Amino acid sequence: MGTAEMIEDEQDIAKLDVTPDLPGGSKPLDLPILQGTMGPSVLDIRKVYAETDCFTFDPGFTSTASCESKITFIDGDKGVLLHRGYPIEELAEQSSFLEVASLLIEGDLPTQSQYDAFVNDITHHSMLHEQLRGFYDGFRRDAHPMAIMVGVVGALSAFYHDSLDISDEKQRIIASHRLVAKMPTLAAMAYKYSMGQPFVYPRNDLSYSENLLHMMFSMPTEEYKVDPVLARALDKILILHADHEQNASTSTVRLAGSSGANPFACIAAGIACLWGPAHGGANEAVLNMLEEIGHKDRIPEFIKRAKDKDDPFRLMGFGHRVYKNYDPRAQVLHNTCKEVLSVLGHQDDPLLELAQELEKIALEDPYFIEKKLYPNVDFYSGIIFKAMGIPTSMFTVLFAVARTVGWIAQWKEMMEDPSQRIGRPRQLYTGHTPRSFVERAKR
Ligand code: CMC
């Protein structure tokens, strides 16, 4: 076994005494320290393997910066989230989802004419190739809409051949805009299919969020009027989910893209990763958990289970890998949640009452306080979606609609980085040492 101890920290070099248990013995190693504009410095370990014959080991990437990025900054201890330098609270209150999309993808807040051009482009790419509709018929009616999304988003690469050349900047832009524009259409169709209702085409006179509600809830039989409070709440939720630095699904998109895979395939990979209950699937899991709890009298029983090390149960919507004091997105949504519930007159919904009680109890419980487990963004977004009449199975799909913007921005940044290489982690092998094959009859 070897040891690695930092023995000196100069201005931009960390001297490590790396003593691997290898024939060469002790090998002092100087590692450059890289400094970003904010946040912790990073030890540049790129030459560790070449100079020590050792890999570094960091499952779950708790200490590893996987890339350099200018898009999003998070300070988990202080509850800070900035997109291109702008605080999430200001963006959520003062901006719109498409303006935030433009900011994340292009790098700066758009001027009025840039904004108009961006909105125009997204609006005019929202329709799908008509043949794509046929894909939906191939799914069972009870298919999870995330399963449909993984399939149909990946299938976009079979339709838009003129935007698959990732070495062509123009094609990259067209593919990016197509993805942002078509996601609400694909998502709403997944919902309509599950309901056995006819698909609804997008409308160019509606905003992004209005259009999403229109495509989900309108029917050919009667006029559907989009409630402006709901459209604004949805827009806010989309803003709050737009990007979150190098989370699991974004890292998946980057890893997929690092091989040169086309953007539609990369975003499909991101959707697959987002689906998991520890990530985007948590908003759906929150509602399922509330239904399982059923009544506030049963909360103590579930809190007890969440604390039991031998029970895999966790309180869904609580805790975060990065935010250890509070999730700033959850703070914004907490207020939106109250607003939406009062506008919709849902304050008396027993499930929502249960959610509020659970939040209160968990916030006062020493286990949750000690482990710094606070309600995260998914706790409140699930409750708002439920109040808006959006079915539970669609929650993560809406998260995917929003996060497509972040995935695209991060993929684009990686594509434009001349130092980009295929992502290829190594491993600590703990399997068998070489052994000889034994014939089946002799095993
Ligand atoms: N309920 C009960 N205990 C928990 C919970 C929870 N929700 N979350 C963490 N813990 C405990 C965990 O058992 C561990 O205890 P110990 O130190 O005694 O072993 C400690 O807190 C640290 O947990 P961890 O699993 O090491 O933390 P992590 O950073 O690997 O996981 C997390 C973060 C978000 C996956 C986790 O908190 C969790 O599973 N939360 C519930 C699912 C959820 O709400 N996910 C949405 C995250 S926000 C949106 C997104 O990013 O997609």
Side-chain angles (χ1 to χ4, degrees):
M1 237 187 299
T3 58
E5 184 191 352
M6 190 185 288
I7 55 175
E8 202 174 326
D9 185 357
E10 288 177 357
Q11 209 170 20
D12 56 359
I13 295 284
K15 288 185 187 298
L16 295 188
D17 181 12
V18 178
T19 318
D21 205 7
L22 291 167
S26 172
K27 288 183 187 174
L29 180 68
D30 292 347
L31 293 178
I33 297 180
L34 308 179
Q35 184 64 63
T37 47
M38 288 192 291
S41 311
V42 303
L43 290 175
D44 181 347
I45 58 168
R46 278 175 286 191
K47 63 180 184 180
V48 166
Y49 178 53
E51 297 198 0
T52 67
D53 273 341
C54 286
F55 294 139
T56 55
F57 185 60
D58 184 19
F61 302 107
T62 49
S63 291
T64 297
S66 62
C67 65
E68 190 183 323
S69 182
K70 294 181 168 58
I71 301 172
T72 290
F73 174 79
I74 301 175
D75 183 331
D77 292 329
K78 297 197 181 115
V80 170
L81 169 59
L82 310 176
H83 290 324
R84 302 285 190 185
Y86 297 101
I88 190 65
E89 296 85 350
E90 290 181 24
L91 294 172
E93 292 308 327
Q94 297 172 44
S95 189
S96 68
F97 178 64
L98 281 190
E99 188 173 46
V100 172
S102 169
L103 169 71
L104 286 166
I105 295 170
E106 303 301 335
D108 265 311
L109 282 173
T111 60
Q112 186 64 52
S113 61
Q114 287 167 337
Y115 177 70
D116 293 343
F118 183 75
V119 172
N120 187 61
D121 215 27
I122 299 300
T123 306
H124 288 88
H125 273 109
S126 56
M127 280 184 71
L128 296 176
H129 189 294
E130 198 61 13
Q131 234 174 304
L132 256 164
R133 295 165 68 94
F135 272 70
Y136 286 78
D137 288 330
F139 289 98
R140 284 169 52 136
R141 288 278 174 193
D142 61 356
H144 195 288
M146 281 299 273
I148 297 181
M149 292 303 281
V150 175
V152 292
V153 172
L156 292 177
S157 46
F159 285 84
Y160 300 103
H161 298 143
D162 59 343
S163 54
L164 293 183
D165 181 358
I166 56 164
S167 64
D168 180 337
E169 191 192 348
K170 238 183 167 165
Q171 293 200 29
R172 288 202 301 267
I173 294 172
I174 297 170
S176 302
H177 289 188
R178 277 184 171 147
L179 274 156
V180 175
K182 294 180 197 308
M183 280 297 280
T185 316
L186 293 164
M189 284 168 70
Y191 171 61
K192 286 296 197 191
Y193 185 74
S194 73
M195 300 295 287
Q197 292 175 4
F199 296 140
V200 175
Y201 286 102
R203 261 178 43 188
N204 289 354
D205 60 324
L206 298 176
S207 76
Y208 196 83
S209 297
E210 286 170 343
N211 207 15
L212 181 45
L213 290 170
H214 157 73
M215 288 188 287
M216 280 184 73
F217 294 121
S218 71
M219 302 272 226
T221 43
E222 58 188 27
E223 204 196 336
Y224 172 77
K225 262 202 153 340
V226 180
D227 184 326
V229 175
L230 298 195
R232 180 64 196 135
L234 178 59
D235 212 61
K236 217 179 247 190
I237 293 178
L238 296 182
I239 292 173
L240 294 170
H241 285 82
D243 190 52
H244 212 227
E245 205 225 57
Q246 308 311 320
N247 56 85
S249 58
T250 302
S251 297
T252 301
V253 169
R254 278 190 179 255
L255 200 53
S258 77
S259 73
N262 75 68
F264 303 107
C266 295
I267 301 304
I271 295 171
C273 177
L274 187 76
W275 194 359
H279 191 10
N283 51 16
E284 176 176 350
V286 168
L287 258 286
N288 291 337
M289 175 190 75
L290 291 176
E291 265 156 23
E292 196 190 342
I293 297 175
H295 193 275
K296 42 184 191 191
D297 292 352
R298 293 187 68 206
I299 292 177
E301 177 194 327
F302 282 82
I303 297 263
K304 197 171 158 217
R305 283 186 61 195
K307 294 187 212 171
D308 181 354
K309 279 216 165 302
D310 299 325
D311 189 329
F313 175 78
R314 284 185 169 200
L315 274 196
M316 288 292 131
F318 283 79
H320 198 275
R321 166 62 64 82
V322 180
Y323 296 120
K324 297 301 178 197
N325 277 317
Y326 66 92
D327 177 344
R329 303 165 302 169
Q331 279 212 327
V332 174
L333 271 197
H334 187 208
N335 296 335
T336 309
C337 188
K338 280 191 186 155
E339 203 178 293
V340 170
L341 296 191
S342 72
V343 167
L344 293 174
H346 272 301
Q347 301 98 314
D348 300 335
D349 184 325
L351 221 53
L352 303 175
E353 214 184 305
L354 178 62
Q356 281 164 349
E357 189 66 19
L358 180 67
E359 175 197 15
K360 197 168 143 261
I361 293 175
L363 285 175
E364 288 165 0
D365 190 291
Y367 173 91
F368 288 85
I369 294 170
E370 254 163 51
K371 294 197 184 297
K372 303 190 167 193
L373 301 169
Y374 300 88
N376 57 47
V377 67
D378 287 327
F379 186 73
Y380 298 110
S381 64
I383 297 170
I384 298 175
F385 284 151
K386 152 95 178 139
M388 286 167 84
I390 293 171
T392 318
S393 62
M394 281 298 289
F395 291 4
T396 314
V397 174
L398 296 183
F399 190 160
V401 170
R403 187 54 58 85
T404 295
V405 161
W407 291 331
I408 286 293
Q410 303 268 352
W411 172 80
K412 178 173 175 277
E413 181 176 69
M414 184 180 72
M415 287 295 130
E416 289 167 0
D417 179 354
S419 66
Q420 186 268 324
R421 304 171 72 189
I422 187 166
R424 181 31 173 115
R426 302 307 300 263
Q427 63 175 4
L428 173 64
Y429 176 70
T430 54
H432 283 286
T433 51
R435 50 183 177 162
S436 293
F437 183 80
V438 181
E439 284 171 49
R440 205 172 303 138
K442 294 187 181 161
R443 284 174 215 160

